[in-house]
Each structure stands twice: as structure tokens, then as C-alpha cells.
Amino acid sequence: MAKYDLRSEFISTNVEGIQSIPKEWHIKQVRYLLKDGAEGIKIGPFGSALKLEDMVDDGFSVYGQENVIKKDFSLGKRKISETKFQEMSVYRIFPQDILITMMGTSGKCEIVPSDINDGIIDSHLLRVRVKENQILPEFFKLLIDKSPEISYQIQVFGKGSIMHGLNSGIVKSLNLPLPSIEEQKLILNFLDHETAKIDSLIAKQEKLIELLKEKRQAVISHAVTKGLNPDVNMKDSGVEWLGQVPEHWEILKFDYAINTVSDIDHYMPNSVDEGIPYVMTGDLQDVVSEIDFESCKKVAYSDYQKLSRKIKTTKDDIIFARYATIGTLSYVDIDKEFLVSYSCVTIKSNPLRTTGKYLSYYLKSQAFLQAIQQQINSNTQGNVGVDSLRNVKIILPLLSEQDAIIDFLKVELSKMDNLIDKAQSAIQLMQERRTALISSAVTGKIDVTNWQNPNHNNNQANTELGA
């Protein structure tokens, strides 16, 4: 924060959670900032007022916590009829209304956008409308979202022994440190300008990560379909998605490169507090050692023994997702007991032809993904069956060449992974800086009273020159 003007004069307060505020500021409870009556604050209708049978295929939207948490008001398919909408018009939302989450992930705040579809809130949201001559909705949102003083109050006053929750009384009782409306506008303009610069840098790092991942995919695909020798004689594979391949490489069905491919019985075992990890598609990582087994569902050891009778996943196997995110896979690089969901198959390689490690690279190649897509397109169920996997055409070099390709990819991919890690670390630091900047500005630690928007000055100068 060194490049910003830091405020030097503060006054102490006797408000819990707020030690001091700028001397020109004051503290007000939310209740005194709300519009009059029920319009000021409203909890969504309770379940008995909005039932499943009220939902229709096409109508007015019902908004919930996911819209606020994900900052996306296009999410959700819940709709109510015009008759029900008119009946529940007190819960209607308009642009510039403030919505606050009440249960679980409570205290998240978002302003209703201008392009909102007509609709109402559900029982997990609180709608707030403020007197804009005292506090701007955007400033209110930043205080709720980013001020550590307000977060502390929400944490302390939030109700619920099992799930942290808020209610209208708690929100009304929150104490907000407030500058004048003019300074609020200045703070918001300052933050728009400064966070836009940070967001631009974050976007560049995200683009870099995207390009590195594309390059990573291309390096794998080239290595396992063209080899490492650029001067090798090539031949036509006769397979559209393989094209030209090294002359001495073998073209074969996937079935001949493996010992087996199978899934467990299609049965969902009950969860237990302590037991064997049950790995589902969403748990998969590049290698199994990176899976967070603690957060996985757990099943009883007896269920593990019963369900793994068909196939037991062991080191050097490949776990391949065949539903939803088809093609996601994990290479099993450790010895550990766990059960793989029936949404995935376990692949055991034929050691006379290949290894699990090499095969895991091949399964990430564009050639294999295209082959799988052909199977999906011809399958109305939208998944990849075991027989379909067995019949996919692949290519394999000699085992010695496979080992050389593995060594090459370890080095090359490690370089790209390091660059991706650095870019992700840079993004995290910038996001932390962004949050700290907003927090410092809305709590008055940064003094923006003398700040001028350089873009405004430049535009004004250009206008004068043009005149």
C-alpha cells in the first residue's frame, strides 16, 4: 500500500469489532440506513409459501444463494407462474437491490444487475434496499464483503450451532463505518480504477496458463503420435485422427495394449465417518497421490471388499472417467486402498506392450480424445462403454522408445508445470492484494480525498487539445 496516501488521523470507538475510524467518518447501524418499512429489508418466502408444485417450466425466476455466491444471475432453472409471481410480489427484486446470503456460506453480498430477469428471492436470501443519500449500494456491498470489521460482526452475531446463519435482526444491528456520500463515490471510483489494473494483470496470467495448458497438451499429443525423431520415416495410419505415424510403430486396438478394463458393480454404497476412500470423477487429479482422500466419501471396508471383486485399483493402473467429464483420468502412482466409483473404469496395461505411465500420456493425447469422441457421438447415452474403449485404435512404439518418450515428457511437462504454478501464485498474490486494497479503502486506511482519476485527466487534456 506504500504508493497510496495513508490516513493519519483516527478516532477510537466503543463499538465491538471496530477499534477506530477516520475522524471525519461516523458509525451507523444498518437499521438507520434502510428504506422505510418492509421495503428496507425482506427475507425470502419460507418453504411452506414456495413449494415444489409451484414450479413451472417457463415463467418468472426464483433466485437463491448460488446466484450471489457465484455472482451469476443466469444460474438456476426454478420458475414460477405469473399468478404465483403476483402473489409473491413482496419478494420481487429490482436492479440495485442488495442480496445477502443467510445460511451456510452466509454474509456473501451482491447487487442485482441491470439485466436481471424478473423474479423473486427464496428463503435463503435477504433483500436490502438502502437510503442512497446516506450509503451507496456498491459501498454497502463492499463493506459487507470486504471489511474485516463487518466480517467480525457477522461471525460473532451469526446464529446457528450447526450451520452459521444470519437473519434480518442481525443485519440491522451491524455497525458500518461511513464517510460522506461524496467520499463514498470517490472511494468507489478509486477502486474501479485500481482494481481494473489488477484485474487486467490477473487476466494476462490466466491467459498465460491457458496457453501453457494448450502447449502441454500439444507436446503430449506430438510425442505419443509422432515420436521424438523428426527424421523418422512415416506411414499412413489409415485412421483419420491419427494421420501419418512413424513407420515402425504398431497400430492396434486398445484391447491388445491392456490386460483388462472394468468398473465396479453399479451400486452406490452408504457413507461412513471412517472407512475406505470412495473416489468419484470430481476427486480425480493428474496422479492419484494428489487426490485429497480426506475429503472423499468414505465407505465401509466390507463394501470395499464386495465392490472391488471385479477389479481392484493398484499402482500403475489408470482411472478413466466415462461419464460427464469424459476423458478425465488419474495415473495411480502410489499403493493405497481406495474404491473407484462406477462412473470411472480402471485400466490395467499389458506390460509386454506398454506401461500404465505411458498409456496415461497416450490417453491424454488429442488423437485418443478424438477417437473417444467418435464413440460418444455414436452412443445415445453420452458415455463411453467398456467395449467402446477396447475397440479404439491406438499406436505404440517399442517399449524402449516408450521409456524415452516418458523421460522426455517428464522434463518438458515439468518446465510448463513450473510456469503454470508461478502464474497461479502470481494470481493468488494479486487477488490478495486486490482484497487488501478494497478493505483498506472502505475502512478509511487509505486516504483518497485528494485522488484524481488519471484517465479523466488524460481525456480532459485530449479534449482540450482537440478543441
Side-chain angles (χ1 to χ4, degrees):
M1 302 297 169
K3 72 173 187 174
Y4 304 116
D5 292 336
L6 300 180
R7 201 180 298 266
S8 57
E9 295 187 78
F10 292 85
I11 54 173
S12 299
T13 81
N14 57 1
V15 176
E16 185 176 7
I18 304 178
Q19 292 184 342
S20 62
I21 59 172
K23 70 173 186 176
E24 303 87 357
W25 292 26
H26 58 281
I27 292 177
K28 269 198 174 181
Q29 280 194 337
V30 168
R31 69 179 74 252
Y32 301 116
L33 303 171
L34 301 175
K35 288 189 176 181
D36 295 334
E39 184 184 6
I41 192 163
K42 190 73 175 175
I43 297 174
F46 291 104
S48 58
L50 188 64
K51 298 183 284 294
L52 186 61
E53 53 263 36
D54 293 321
M55 300 302 157
V56 297
D57 292 333
D58 188 27
F60 294 84
S61 297
V62 179
Y63 297 100
Q65 291 204 139
E66 70 277 8
N67 301 109
V68 174
I69 292 168
K70 296 184 178 179
K71 304 179 186 297
D72 187 349
F73 284 81
S74 67
L75 298 174
K77 296 180 180 178
R78 291 180 298 166
K79 307 282 184 182
I80 54 174
S81 68
E82 183 172 1
T83 301
K84 191 67 178 177
F85 176 66
Q86 295 300 332
E87 178 190 326
M88 311 197 83
S89 60
V90 291
Y91 305 109
R92 186 178 181 181
I93 56 174
F94 295 96
Q96 291 300 105
D97 282 351
I98 303 159
L99 303 182
I100 303 175
T101 57
M102 295 176 56
M103 296 299 295
T105 311
S106 58
K108 294 295 181 183
C109 187
E110 194 60 39
I111 295 174
V112 176
S114 59
D115 60 350
I116 189 79
N117 292 325
D118 249 351
I120 64 169
I121 55 173
D122 69 12
S123 61
H124 294 105
L125 288 179
L126 190 69
R127 186 196 68 204
V128 173
R129 293 172 181 163
V130 295
K131 297 174 182 175
E132 294 189 29
N133 63 340
Q134 296 199 37
I135 185 168
L136 301 174
E138 294 84 358
F139 196 80
F140 184 96
K141 166 187 154 46
L142 290 180
L143 278 173
I144 299 295
D145 263 354
K146 304 297 183 182
S147 165
E149 287 93 340
I150 309 307
S151 296
Y152 172 82
Q153 293 179 55
I154 289 173
Q155 195 62 38
V156 169
F157 302 139
K159 303 291 185 184
S161 57
I162 299 175
M163 183 181 288
H164 188 274
L166 293 176
N167 58 42
S168 58
I170 292 170
V171 173
K172 285 180 182 179
S173 299
L174 294 175
N175 292 291
L176 308 185
L178 290 181
S180 66
I181 287 292
E182 290 72 24
E183 190 171 347
Q184 289 179 40
K185 290 177 181 177
L186 197 55
I187 290 170
L188 292 173
N189 288 335
F190 164 80
L191 287 174
D192 280 346
H193 180 267
E194 294 299 311
T195 57
K197 293 192 292 185
I198 297 173
D199 291 343
S200 176
L201 293 173
I202 290 173
K204 288 177 181 177
Q205 291 297 316
E206 288 173 338
K207 181 63 176 176
L208 174 61
I209 290 172
E210 183 183 330
L211 291 172
L212 286 167
K213 286 182 176 179
E214 288 176 3
K215 184 178 180 182
R216 193 182 194 279
Q217 170 79 20
V219 167
I220 293 173
S221 294
H222 189 275
V224 299
T225 58
K226 307 300 180 187
L228 304 180
N229 182 1
D231 300 321
V232 71
N233 291 330
M234 306 293 281
K235 65 180 178 183
D236 185 4
S237 67
V239 180
E240 179 186 349
W241 50 85
L242 289 175
Q244 293 281 312
V245 299
E247 190 176 56
H248 63 289
W249 286 25
E250 186 179 13
I251 302 170
L252 68 164
K253 284 186 178 180
F254 186 67
D255 195 36
Y256 296 131
I258 62 172
N259 277 342
T260 187
V261 52
S262 184
D263 57 2
I264 65 169
D265 289 333
H266 290 207
Y267 163 73
M268 179 64 75
N270 293 326
S271 296
V272 296
D273 292 335
E274 297 290 335
I276 300 296
Y278 184 81
V279 175
M280 294 185 279
T281 304
D283 300 316
L284 297 182
Q285 299 296 325
D286 194 45
V287 291
V288 161
S289 59
E290 293 176 355
I291 292 176
D292 182 5
F293 287 105
E294 288 302 313
S295 65
C296 289
K297 173 180 174 175
K298 305 295 190 303
V299 300
Y301 193 75
S302 57
D303 281 329
Y304 165 68
Q305 288 179 309
K306 180 173 64 176
L307 290 171
S308 62
R309 280 182 298 196
K310 277 174 65 179
I311 192 163
K312 187 174 288 189
T313 308
T314 55
K315 191 173 181 180
D316 201 45
D317 289 350
I318 300 163
I319 304 167
F320 186 86
R322 61 194 185 97
Y323 294 106
T325 51
I326 295 169
T328 301
L329 64 89
S330 277
Y331 171 67
V332 185
D333 61 331
I334 56 173
D335 285 313
K336 183 176 177 65
E337 285 188 318
F338 60 93
L339 188 65
V340 178
S341 159
Y342 57 78
S343 61
C344 304
V345 293
T346 294
I347 300 167
K348 294 182 180 291
S349 63
N350 178 350
L352 297 178
R353 291 186 179 271
T354 188
T355 62
K357 185 62 177 175
Y358 184 82
L359 210 52
S360 72
Y361 284 133
Y362 189 89
L363 267 57
K364 293 175 185 175
S365 71
Q366 198 59 42
F368 187 79
L369 293 175
Q370 284 182 265
I372 287 298
Q373 193 60 50
Q374 297 293 321
Q375 299 294 333
I376 296 169
N377 291 342
S378 62
N379 181 351
T380 56
Q381 293 181 346
N383 60 62
V384 181
V386 169
D387 288 339
S388 296
L389 271 173
R390 289 181 184 277
N391 289 318
V392 168
K393 289 283 186 70
I394 68 169
I395 50 173
L396 287 179
L398 298 173
L399 285 169
S400 58
E401 197 170 349
Q402 291 181 36
D403 290 340
I405 289 172
I406 290 172
D407 291 341
F408 167 80
L409 288 175
K410 281 181 181 177
V411 173
E412 293 303 307
L413 299 185
S414 177
K415 292 176 186 175
M416 282 177 270
D417 289 343
N418 285 336
L419 291 173
I420 290 171
D421 287 344
K422 287 180 181 178
Q424 288 172 335
S425 294
I427 289 172
Q428 184 177 344
L429 287 172
M430 285 186 280
Q431 288 172 335
E432 290 172 358
R433 177 178 174 78
R434 190 183 193 278
T435 299
L437 176 65
I438 294 171
S439 175
S440 295
V442 298
T443 55
K445 294 178 179 64
I446 294 175
D447 186 356
V448 303
T449 51
N450 296 319
W451 179 80
Q452 292 184 331
N453 189 330
N455 293 338
H456 175 75
N457 294 338
N458 291 338
N459 291 339
Q460 189 176 32
N462 291 336
T463 302
E464 291 171 355
L465 286 171

